[in-house]
Amino acid sequence: RGVYSQLLMEKRPVYTGLATPLALDYIPGTWVQGIQISKGASTVQNGPQSITGQINTEIVKPAFDKPFFLNLFGSTLERAEANLHLNKKWNEGWSSGLLLHGSTTQGKFDRNKDTFLDQPTKNSLNGMFRTFYESSGICSQFNVQALYDERESGQLMPAGAPNPEDFYRIRQENRRVDVFGKIGYLGFSKPMTSIGFIYNAAWHDTDNIFGKMAYRGTQRSLYANLLYESFISTTDHKFNIGASFQHDDYDEFLGETDFSRRETMPGVFAEYNFGRDGSVHENFWDKFGLIAGVRLDHHNLFGTFVTPRLNLKYNFSDQSILRISGGRGLRSAQIIAENIAVLASNRLFVVTENLKMEDAWNVGLNFTQNFKLAGRNASLVADLYRTDFTNQVVMDMETEHAQVLFYNLEGKSYANSLLLLGSLEAFKGFNLKLAYKLNDVRVTYQNGDFVRRPLTAPHRALAALDYETPNKKWMFNTNIQYTGWQRFADAVHIPSNIGERPYFDGYSPDYILLNAQVSRRFKQWEFYIGGENLTDYRQENAIVDWQNPFGEHFDAMQVWGPLVGARGYVGIRLWVD
C-alpha cells in the first residue's frame, strides 16, 4: 500500500485526500471478506489514479456472513479491540447487516528515555450498516459508514504541569461519514450483459496539532461510475464502456496558509477483454488473454488527458502463466496529507511553483510456475515492474535547512520493483513461503542531485511457516520479516554537537522481526494467542534534538524501525451459524 497504488472498497475509490494517512486503519480486519490485488497497470474502470496497482477490499455480505460474530482482542501495549457483526437474511431477496468496531490504546511508554511517547494513545469507533437486495434481474446495496478516530502523542507531560504549552504535543482527530452503494440490472435478453451504477458521497473532517503547528481540513466528495458490460459476437470478446465523475471540495489550512481547492474530474472509458474459458489449451488463442482499455478525463485544474492501459496473459500450460502489463496513470498529489509525518518536525512547508498532476508510466511482468516437489504442491512467482515518472511532485527535505520543498520534477524519477516468492506444502497441513523484495526508488532534486529516496528500504524478505492439524482444531503461524538498510535524509544541516547526529548519518541498520500465533478452534468459538517483535528489537534513537522540541533542528520523522519492543496479545472469536 502506497500513495501510487489505488485503494478501493468494493470497486469504488476510498479514503483519498485528507483520509490518506490512516486509510487502511479505517478497514477493520474482521470486516474483510477478501482482497484482490492488481499489480502494475490495471483496469481503467475505476479512474486514472492507479499508477503501480490497485488494492480492492470486499466487505462481508449480510446474506453470507454469520448472523452473530464477536471478536475480542487485548495486548500488552494496553490495547483493546472489539468487533461485532449482526446480520439478518429477511427473505430470498433482502438482507441487512451491522458491522461495529471499537478500539483503544492507553499504554504510555518511554523506554528510550527521550521524554517522548514510544506509541500514541488512540480511541477509535467505526460502524457500517448494509442493506442488500438480489433477484434474477436486479441487484442493489445501500451502505452507511461512520467513524471517529483520535490519537495523542508527543512529550510525556507531568500531571498538573503549570505550562502545558511548554511541552511538545501531537493530537490528531478525524471524523468521517460515507454513504455508498450499487445498483445493477441483469435482466437483458442477451446473456452476460449488465448495466451497473456505483455511487459514493463522503464527508471527512480532520483536526491536528503538531507542537505549535495546526493542520485542519474538511473534504466533501462525490463519486459516481456508470458501467455497461456485454460481448461482441461471442463471449470470447467482452467489453465494458462507461462514464465516471469525481468531485472533491477541500477546505484545508496549515497554520495560516490556505490550501483550499475544488477538484472536479468527469471521464469516459472503454475496455475490451479477449479470453476463452481456459478449459482447453489446444492452440495459441486458447492460451492467450488480453485486456485493453483507454480513458478520457478532464480535470478542472489540470486539463484533459488520455490514459491507455494494456494487460496480456499467456498460459504456456495449466501450470505456467506469463502476464505482461503496461499503461499510464495520473493523480493529483495531496502534499500535506500524504506527507503528514513531516509535521513532526519544525520544517516549514514551501511550495516553490504551481504543482502539476503526477504522471507516470508503469510496465511489468509476472511469471507463475506451479509444480510438484516430492509429490507436494509448490509454486514460484517472479514480478518485475518499473515506474517512470513524466512528472512527479517531489518532496525535498534535504536541499534547504529547516524547510521541506515541493516542486515539479526536473529530471529522472523511477522505481524498479522485483519480487521473488516461493511456496511449498512441505507435508499435509504445513506450508512454507519465502519472499524477497527489491525496491530501487530514485528521484532528482531541484539542485540536480539524483538520489535514492530516503527511508525506503531497498531490500526486504519474509519467511512464513503455517501449520494446521488434520482435525482443523489447531493452527500455528510464524513469520520472520527482514528489513534492509535505509538512507537517512541528508544530515549535513544538523550541528555536530547535537548528540543524536551520529545515529542519523548515512544509513540505518538492517533488522529482523519475529511474529508468532497459536489458534485453537472449537465448534462455535476460537481462541488465539500470539506475540509480535518477539526478539524485542527497537530503534533506540528516534528523534533528532529531542531536548529542544521547538528548536530548528528538532525532527521526529526519521523513524526507520519499531519503537515499541516485544508485545503479546490474546483474543477470542465467537459466532452463531
Side-chain angles (χ1 to χ4, degrees):
R1 166 63 180 157
V3 296
Y4 296 114
S5 61
Q6 187 180 28
L7 181 62
L8 308 169
M9 180 186 289
E10 301 189 338
K11 294 195 69 175
R12 63 185 176 90
V14 291
Y15 309 133
T16 58
L18 303 184
T20 301
L22 301 173
L24 287 177
D25 285 7
Y26 297 152
I27 310 176
T30 66
W31 294 13
V32 177
Q33 175 181 297
I35 298 175
Q36 297 92 41
I37 296 176
S38 300
K39 301 177 182 178
S42 47
T43 179
V44 297
Q45 295 179 27
N46 305 309
Q49 294 90 343
S50 166
I51 292 178
T52 60
Q54 293 179 343
I55 303 171
N56 181 53
T57 57
E58 288 290 335
I59 305 302
V60 291
K61 309 299 188 289
F64 305 102
D65 193 20
K66 294 176 173 58
F68 173 87
F69 174 84
L70 176 65
N71 170 235
L72 300 174
F73 169 94
S75 83
T76 57
L77 298 183
E78 298 183 33
R79 172 176 168 80
E81 179 177 325
N83 295 280
L84 176 64
H85 301 192
L86 299 171
N87 297 288
K88 176 68 174 179
K89 187 171 183 179
W90 303 104
N91 52 43
E92 287 303 312
W94 290 93
S95 59
S96 300
L98 179 64
L99 306 175
L100 299 174
H101 164 89
S103 61
T104 183
T105 302
Q106 296 302 317
K108 296 183 178 181
F109 307 101
D110 179 24
R111 292 184 58 179
N112 58 6
K113 306 302 180 185
D114 62 3
T115 76
F116 280 78
L117 289 172
D118 295 337
Q119 67 167 9
T121 60
K122 307 176 189 177
N123 291 294
S124 181
L125 293 172
N126 197 345
M128 181 185 294
F129 173 76
R130 323 195 75 193
T131 291
F132 282 64
Y133 174 76
E134 293 191 15
S135 69
S136 58
I138 296 177
C139 296
S140 69
Q141 59 168 280
F142 176 78
N143 309 266
V144 178
Q145 181 185 7
L147 65 87
Y148 174 78
D149 184 273
E150 65 170 1
R151 302 167 185 235
E152 292 193 18
S153 188
Q155 280 185 298
L156 284 165
M157 187 169 59
N163 297 306
E165 63 276 8
D166 293 340
F167 294 84
Y168 190 96
R169 304 295 298 160
I170 296 175
R171 177 175 172 80
Q172 298 175 272
E173 191 172 356
N174 288 275
R175 294 164 293 275
R176 183 180 181 91
V177 177
D178 282 88
V179 178
F180 64 96
K182 299 179 183 180
I183 302 172
Y185 179 70
L186 299 83
F188 293 95
S189 58
K190 188 176 183 179
M192 298 186 68
T193 300
S194 64
I195 188 168
F197 181 65
I198 303 173
Y199 61 91
N200 187 94
W203 171 85
H204 189 102
D205 185 75
T206 187
D207 195 356
N208 306 265
I209 296 292
F210 289 79
K212 296 181 179 179
M213 177 61 71
Y215 168 53
R216 63 193 187 281
T218 301
Q219 177 183 351
R220 293 164 289 271
S221 299
L222 292 173
Y223 172 79
N225 197 3
L226 180 66
L227 305 95
Y228 176 75
E229 180 178 5
S230 190
F231 62 89
I232 306 169
S233 180
T234 72
T235 55
D236 291 349
H237 305 275
K238 305 179 187 70
F239 70 89
N240 289 278
I241 57 174
S244 65
F245 177 78
Q246 177 73 54
H247 173 81
D248 295 291
D249 188 5
Y250 296 93
D251 294 322
E252 189 176 20
F253 297 87
L254 181 61
E256 299 301 318
T257 305
D258 188 350
F259 287 88
S260 301
R261 64 206 177 278
R262 180 174 294 174
E263 300 186 29
T264 301
M265 187 173 66
V268 293
F269 61 88
E271 194 168 73
Y272 167 73
N273 185 338
F274 171 80
R276 296 180 176 168
D277 61 15
S279 59
V280 178
H281 290 164
E282 293 182 348
N283 58 47
F284 175 84
W285 298 111
D286 293 331
K287 304 176 182 181
F288 177 75
L290 174 150
I291 301 176
V294 63
R295 290 189 61 92
L296 176 67
D297 294 276
H298 177 78
H299 195 286
N300 65 311
L301 301 179
F302 303 110
T304 303
F305 48 87
V306 177
T307 309
R309 294 178 185 174
L310 178 66
N311 290 266
L312 306 173
K313 184 181 77 166
Y314 186 76
N315 291 49
F316 294 96
S317 69
D318 289 338
Q319 307 299 323
S320 302
I321 304 171
L322 175 67
R323 297 177 177 88
I324 299 175
S325 67
R328 186 187 189 192
L330 299 103
R331 63 184 296 276
S332 174
Q334 313 298 317
I335 62 170
I336 305 175
E338 293 169 5
N339 298 282
I340 197 167
V342 179
L343 297 180
S345 70
N346 290 325
R347 292 184 175 93
L348 177 67
F349 272 58
V350 178
V351 180
T352 65
E353 58 184 319
N354 291 329
L355 301 178
K356 302 176 183 177
M357 211 165 195
E358 294 195 298
D359 187 351
W361 291 84
N362 181 282
V363 294
L365 61 85
N366 164 274
F367 180 74
T368 301
Q369 177 67 57
N370 300 311
F371 57 95
K372 295 286 187 180
L373 184 63
R376 294 293 180 181
N377 293 327
S379 68
L380 289 173
V381 177
D383 287 338
L384 181 60
Y385 290 90
R386 179 180 174 92
T387 303
D388 268 302
F389 283 90
T390 304
N391 182 63
Q392 185 177 29
V393 174
V394 179
M395 188 273 284
D396 177 0
M397 56 182 181
E398 302 186 72
T399 299
E400 296 292 339
H401 173 53
Q403 294 183 1
V404 53
L405 307 180
F406 294 91
Y407 48 79
N408 298 309
L409 177 69
E410 296 179 6
K412 296 187 299 181
S413 178
Y414 66 76
N416 294 323
S417 173
L418 169 67
L419 172 68
L420 300 175
L421 170 65
S423 63
L424 169 67
E425 184 188 26
F427 53 87
K428 186 173 178 59
F430 182 83
N431 294 286
L432 170 66
K433 291 182 181 179
L434 298 173
Y436 167 74
K437 182 76 177 287
L438 170 67
N439 277 316
D440 180 22
V441 184
R442 301 174 189 258
V443 64
T444 303
Y445 284 157
Q446 206 169 43
N447 61 7
D449 290 347
F450 184 55
V451 298
R452 193 181 295 274
R453 183 166 179 158
L455 296 178
T456 301
H459 305 285
R460 293 181 180 269
L462 170 71
L465 298 87
D466 303 303
Y467 176 66
E468 185 177 47
T469 58
N471 60 11
K472 310 292 186 182
K473 291 184 177 180
W474 289 93
M475 287 182 63
F476 302 87
N477 309 95
T478 303
N479 68 65
I480 303 168
Q481 303 172 20
Y482 167 80
T483 302
W485 52 267
Q486 302 169 55
R487 186 182 76 84
F488 287 120
D490 190 356
V492 67
H493 300 300
I494 303 175
S496 58
N497 62 347
I498 291 181
E500 288 76 16
R501 171 167 177 172
Y503 300 107
F504 298 96
D505 274 337
Y507 302 90
S508 72
D510 53 0
Y511 62 91
I512 292 175
L513 301 179
L514 172 64
N515 307 313
Q517 178 175 302
V518 178
S519 304
R520 174 65 165 94
R521 290 174 177 160
F522 299 88
K523 186 176 181 180
Q524 289 187 307
W525 64 285
E526 178 177 296
F527 174 80
Y528 58 94
I529 184 170
E532 297 177 330
N533 192 7
L534 294 177
T535 56
D536 197 35
Y537 186 85
R538 291 180 293 117
Q539 178 182 345
E540 289 292 343
N541 297 279
I543 302 176
V544 178
D545 201 19
W546 59 265
Q547 300 92 336
N548 301 289
F550 298 104
E552 60 178 316
H553 302 294
F554 173 81
D555 185 357
M557 65 162 293
Q558 301 281 355
V559 178
W560 48 263
L563 302 182
V564 178
R567 59 266 198 190
Y569 61 85
V570 296
I572 187 171
R573 303 183 182 101
L574 309 165
W575 61 85
V576 174
D577 293 318

